[in-house]
Amino acid sequence: ERERERKNTLRQPDQHLMWMFCRLLLWILVVYISIPLIIKLCPSIQAKLVFLNFVRIPYFIDLKHPSDQGLNHTCNFYLEPEVGLKIGVWHTVPAQMWKEAQGKEGNWYDSTFSSNHPVILYLHGNAGTRGGDHRVQLYKVLSSLGYHVVTFDYRGWGDSDGSPSEEGMTSDALFIYDWLKQRLDKMPLFIWGHSLGTGVATNLVRRLCDRGSPPDALILESPFTNIREEAKSHPFSMVYRYLPGFDWFFLDAITANNIRFASDENVNHISCPVLILHAEDDGVVPFHLGKKLYKIASQSKSLSGHKVHFVPFSSSLAYKHKFIYRSPELPNILSHHLMSVSSNGA
């Protein structure tokens, strides 16, 4: 009898562990099944996951003071693309103007657009703000190469008003582009998009080309073909990718929010030089999507006669999704592809 009691006592911890393990598995299964159902019933959740505008990293940055991020030749100001809608903008002047920029106000920065330096309009990706570290580092690189860099937070991002949408992001970009063109003489204006910003960039350039005023060049850093293919390839979708009905649960929810970012369609309506930069070890926007977009662009009739170039960065460099700015080859790449345009513009 005592031996039986001893064995039962020994079994109890094992049974308890097994019960806890089964309970954990049940909870995981419930959560796994619930997420697709919740997203299907509330497609607005999927829109938030695409934009991630509520993720503000770094959290404690004061966007009114770009000098806090080491950009002490940068001016912060606000524009209204629509009545009552304010968006935050940064203008970083070329590094050659650094000394002169100290202590200057907005009017001085505005006057510098008449200088003999090209301008890059930078369209950032999802999450974070115009003050994200990898973005700031790129501004510094571009400024050191003699470019004005103008960037902004779309409506719903950072300290900008409103709520995000593909149409709103594209409208904001078009407004800033037109605002810049009014201040530039003959100097080139390039459009640079990164990640989700590449979708905004191709939307913008398609609109500009449709109205007969294409930009001087388009730079796409870590681009994708369209948002459905990107969502299907994103690491977050890995656990659901082979679930029956994946498209219906997840991708159709994106489409229901009028989110397309169809760069693969847009490149068939674009008529300006295109430069694509992509790291082979990009874990957010897979390299094969950037390569696929390049193949589509290189066969586009609207781009025939324009330079379309794809620059891959080896996995050994570890640039991943947002560190291409670290490449020592970037100045030569930009010089080769953009300086000829700058010379023609000048």
Side-chain angles (χ1 to χ4, degrees):
E1 183 68 27
R2 287 181 181 177
E3 181 66 19
R4 189 183 306 129
E5 289 179 3
R6 187 181 68 82
K7 288 181 179 180
N8 288 339
T9 303
L10 291 172
R11 283 197 202 101
Q12 285 177 2
D14 292 338
Q15 292 172 347
H16 180 70
L17 285 174
M18 182 61 69
W19 180 80
M20 291 293 291
F21 180 70
C22 291
R23 187 177 182 184
L24 178 62
L25 284 179
L26 180 62
W27 273 108
I28 292 173
L29 182 63
V30 169
V31 171
Y32 183 82
I33 294 173
S34 298
I35 289 175
L37 292 173
I38 291 170
I39 287 178
K40 189 63 182 179
L41 294 171
C42 305
S44 60
I45 294 175
Q46 184 71 313
K48 293 182 183 299
L49 294 176
V50 170
F51 297 130
L52 291 178
N53 59 304
F54 56 90
V55 178
R56 182 167 174 168
I57 301 174
Y59 291 101
F60 303 108
I61 180 176
D62 184 353
L63 294 169
K64 293 183 176 65
H65 299 98
S67 58
D68 293 348
Q69 308 306 306
L71 293 172
N72 48 10
H73 55 318
T74 298
C75 177
N76 175 74
F77 57 99
Y78 299 90
L79 295 173
E80 286 195 4
E82 297 174 11
V83 177
L85 182 74
K86 176 193 70 176
I87 58 175
V89 187
W90 280 359
H91 171 201
T92 300
V93 295
Q96 296 92 321
M97 299 181 181
W98 179 85
K99 286 187 178 179
E100 194 179 354
Q102 304 311 300
K104 296 297 194 301
E105 300 295 333
N107 289 337
W108 178 85
Y109 279 86
D110 211 26
S111 70
T112 63
F113 285 123
S114 61
S115 65
N116 194 32
H117 294 274
V119 180
I120 289 178
L121 172 58
Y122 179 79
L123 306 173
H124 69 66
N126 66 356
T129 68
R130 62 189 184 277
D133 183 65
H134 65 283
R135 294 162 188 163
V136 168
Q137 298 308 317
L138 178 63
Y139 311 155
K140 291 178 179 178
V141 170
L142 297 177
S143 172
S144 71
L145 298 176
Y147 295 98
H148 290 272
V149 182
V150 175
T151 187
F152 66 97
D153 279 317
Y154 317 103
R155 62 186 71 189
W157 269 263
D159 55 356
S160 297
D161 298 334
S163 300
S165 68
E166 179 176 357
E167 177 60 30
M169 295 165 74
T170 305
S171 296
D172 292 344
L174 180 60
F175 175 83
I176 298 292
Y177 180 90
D178 288 339
W179 181 87
L180 283 169
K181 287 296 284 186
Q182 292 170 8
R183 284 153 179 77
L184 297 176
D185 186 13
K186 295 181 179 180
M187 292 310 298
L189 174 54
F190 306 119
I191 295 172
W192 184 310
H194 172 246
S195 193
L196 189 66
T198 63
V200 181
T202 62
N203 281 350
L204 169 60
V205 176
R206 178 174 177 172
R207 288 195 185 184
L208 295 174
C209 292
D210 285 347
R211 74 183 193 185
S213 56
D216 292 286
L218 170 63
I219 302 101
L220 300 174
E221 179 189 358
S222 307
F224 51 87
T225 46
N226 59 70
I227 197 63
R228 288 179 72 97
E229 289 195 353
E230 160 55 13
K232 199 164 189 174
S233 302
H234 197 282
F236 287 167
S237 71
M238 190 178 301
V239 294
Y240 289 105
R241 197 171 297 158
Y242 304 106
L243 176 75
F246 174 84
D247 288 17
W248 186 76
F249 278 113
F250 292 96
L251 304 187
D252 290 353
I254 297 175
T255 306
N257 285 280
N258 294 316
I259 303 172
R260 298 181 68 241
F261 292 112
S263 292
D264 51 353
E265 293 180 16
N266 290 337
V267 293
N268 289 311
H269 301 269
I270 286 174
S271 52
C272 70
V274 177
L275 171 62
I276 298 177
L277 311 171
H278 214 135
E280 292 178 351
D281 59 339
D282 190 328
V284 177
V285 180
F287 179 79
H288 72 85
L289 289 185
K291 192 72 173 177
K292 183 177 180 179
L293 181 63
Y294 165 68
K295 289 180 179 178
I296 295 170
S298 63
Q299 297 169 6
S300 166
K301 292 181 180 179
S302 66
L303 282 168
S304 62
H306 294 282
K307 185 186 294 183
V308 179
H309 199 72
F310 182 86
V311 180
F313 295 87
S314 171
S315 298
S316 63
L317 299 170
Y319 293 154
K320 300 186 182 296
H321 183 59
K322 55 187 181 182
F323 301 117
I324 286 177
Y325 71 84
R326 294 176 178 172
S327 172
E329 295 301 318
L330 189 58
N332 291 333
I333 293 168
L334 296 180
S335 175
H336 177 70
H337 292 282
L338 302 183
M339 288 310 291
S340 59
V341 177
S342 300
S343 300
N344 293 336

